[in-house]
């Protein structure tokens, strides 16, 4: 009897492990993931470009297994976390690493630090022509409230934070009607908009503890955005919203992307969240 029970227990443990393996190795919720964006998703595309916007040096990547890879944060970034949430086994490779063959069919990350809104990058209709049917857009964050701007605003005027956030809101409000139009006019395509502002309002506590809006790392200098290669780095990084003067920490990205994937407030994503989009 005891022996039988032991066998059963071992069997259960085995099944659990094989189920877990099945989860990890299972098919992702969507066949492929293509990432377009700026430094919030860049995973090394800028490393060999002639640009100031590159961060393949310490302390960037201090919490990333491969160290400083060109990700503009301490650990995983938006593109990495969303790939994980969608069940991909690996992160989506950077365009700069020249993915080949079948690898390309699974997705490519084209994000490049300091990329901006330009006519040349307004490619959503082209993407549609190539077969993209599920598109996630991210609204702008409260640019007036990032450490880089706050320190400059301190010198300029106390209302510059608010006026910058108002401009962000104007832009985001127009995105709603853009998404509504695209959903109406592009046959069988579904677009959603992630409302970063909605999450920022809820962000002063996450993971059950109070967080600060200050930068975690010591900056290159006043008015500089990036971490100093030899500077101080905060230890309790999960209690910081910002890694450097511009970019959120991995902990903040987890908070934002968790809510983008599964909304916790009706304003987090419009018209629905990423988990719902993936199932359509
Ligand atoms: C971008 O495109 C719009 C619409 O075609 C045009 O009005 C605008 O001047 C263009 N902007 C630039 C910077 O080329
Ligand atoms: C985003 O969320 C904020 C805060 O909840 C809300 O005021 C705003 O209307 C929302 N914007 C969009 C575009 O949904
Ligand atoms: C951080 O900034 C956000 C967005 O402006 C704000 O809502 C939040 O209250 C701030 N948190 C702290 C701790 O100051
Ligand atoms: C942890 O981070 C907070 C900011 O939220 C800071 O005020 C506090 O001093 C830090 N604690 C330690 C032990 O470093």
């Amino acid at each position: 009897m005891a022996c039988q029970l032991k066998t059963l227990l071992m069997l259960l443990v085995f099944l659990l492990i094989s189920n877990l393996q099945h989860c990890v190795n299972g098919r992702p919720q969507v066949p492929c993931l293509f990432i377009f964006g700026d430094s919030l998703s860049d995973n090394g595309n800028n490393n060999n470009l002639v640009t100031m916007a590159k961060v393949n040096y310490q302390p960037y990547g201090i919490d990333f297994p491969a160290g400083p890879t060109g990700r503009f944060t301490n650990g995983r970034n938006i593109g990495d976390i969303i790939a994980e949430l969608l069940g991909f086994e690996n992160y989506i490779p950077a365009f700069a690493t020249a993915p080949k063959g079948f690898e390309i069919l699974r997705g490519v990350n084209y994000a490049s630090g300091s990329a901006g809104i330009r006519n040349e990058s307004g490619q959503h209709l082209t993407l549609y022509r190539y077969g993209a049917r599920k598109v996630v857009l991210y609204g702008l964050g409260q640019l007036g409230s990032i450490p880089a701007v706050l320190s400059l605003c301190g010198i300029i005027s106390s209302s510059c934070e608010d006026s910058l956030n108002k401009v962000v809101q104007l832009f985001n409000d127009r995105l709603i009607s853009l998404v509504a139009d695209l959903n109406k006019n592009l046959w069988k395509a579904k677009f959603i908009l992630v409302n970063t502002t909605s999450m920022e309002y809820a962000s002063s506590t996450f993971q059950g503890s109070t967080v600060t809006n200050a930068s975690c790392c010591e900056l290159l200098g006043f008015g500089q955005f990036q971490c100093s290669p030899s500077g101080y780095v905060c230890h309790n990084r999960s209690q910081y919203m910002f890694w450097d003067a511009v970019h959120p920490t991995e902990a903040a990205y987890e908070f934002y992307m968790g809510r983008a994937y599964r909304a916790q407030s009706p304003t987090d994503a419009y018209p629905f969240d990423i988990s719902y989009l993936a199932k359509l």
Side-chain angles (χ1 to χ4, degrees):
M1 183 65 186
C3 177
Q4 266 175 359
L5 193 69
K6 207 168 146 193
T7 314
L8 194 68
L9 277 176
M10 279 176 63
L11 204 72
L12 279 177
V13 171
F14 174 74
L15 282 178
L16 198 68
I17 291 169
S18 68
N19 274 343
L20 284 177
Q21 277 174 343
H22 182 72
C23 282
V24 173
N25 296 324
R27 286 158 63 99
Q29 293 150 39
V30 289
C32 53
L33 175 61
F34 289 87
I35 299 166
F36 301 86
D38 59 13
S39 51
L40 274 62
S41 300
D42 189 342
N43 58 349
N45 283 319
N46 280 13
N47 291 351
N48 296 315
L49 296 184
V50 184
T51 171
M52 300 288 280
K54 56 178 142 191
V55 293
N56 49 346
Y57 63 83
Q58 285 168 353
Y60 286 90
I62 190 172
D63 299 313
F64 196 77
T69 55
R71 286 168 170 82
F72 289 70
T73 184
N74 56 310
R76 294 164 300 146
N77 67 19
I78 288 189
D80 302 324
I81 293 171
I82 216 63
E84 259 176 30
L85 288 168
L86 288 170
F88 284 86
E89 236 179 279
N90 301 110
Y91 301 135
I92 303 302
F95 174 69
T97 62
K100 288 179 198 67
F102 280 111
E103 220 186 345
I104 297 173
L105 299 180
R106 207 182 49 112
V108 178
N109 184 340
Y110 294 96
S112 171
S114 87
I117 306 168
R118 300 173 63 145
N119 283 353
E120 304 90 292
S121 47
Q123 299 279 323
H124 45 265
L125 293 174
T126 311
L127 286 172
Y128 177 78
R129 214 174 298 139
Y130 283 113
R133 291 296 179 269
K134 297 180 179 182
V135 181
V136 180
L137 294 174
Y138 295 87
L140 282 179
Q142 303 270 86
L143 288 174
S145 306
I146 65 175
V149 172
L150 287 178
S151 65
L152 290 175
C153 278
I155 303 173
I156 303 164
S157 83
S158 55
S159 64
C160 93
E161 176 183 358
D162 286 346
S163 51
L164 199 45
N165 285 340
K166 281 205 185 88
V167 174
V168 165
Q169 201 186 330
L170 283 178
F171 179 85
N172 287 341
D173 288 348
R174 296 282 295 274
L175 277 181
I176 284 274
S177 42
L178 175 71
V179 164
D181 281 353
L182 290 169
N183 280 331
K184 206 169 73 188
N185 298 325
L186 291 181
W187 192 63
K188 282 202 164 172
K190 287 280 170 276
F191 287 73
I192 66 170
L193 176 63
V194 172
N195 184 351
T196 320
T197 311
S198 167
M199 300 164 194
E200 276 166 336
Y201 286 163
S203 69
S204 56
T205 66
F206 62 78
Q207 300 185 335
S209 53
T210 306
V211 295
T212 170
N213 279 349
S215 311
C216 167
C217 73
E218 188 178 330
L219 303 175
L220 278 170
F222 181 78
Q224 301 276 329
F225 298 165
Q226 288 170 208
C227 301
S228 159
S230 51
Y232 168 85
V233 175
C234 74
H235 291 289
N236 51 349
R237 292 185 278 279
S238 63
Q239 282 165 280
Y240 281 73
M241 281 309 285
F242 289 94
W243 163 244
D244 59 18
V246 172
H247 304 101
T249 54
E250 176 183 57
Y253 283 141
E254 278 177 348
F255 171 80
Y256 291 137
M257 289 305 103
R259 290 177 70 131
Y261 184 73
R262 214 175 286 289
Q264 283 173 33
S265 146
T267 52
D268 282 353
Y270 167 85
F272 37 72
D273 62 23
I274 297 176
S275 67
Y276 190 91
L277 176 73
K279 280 200 219 98
L280 290 176

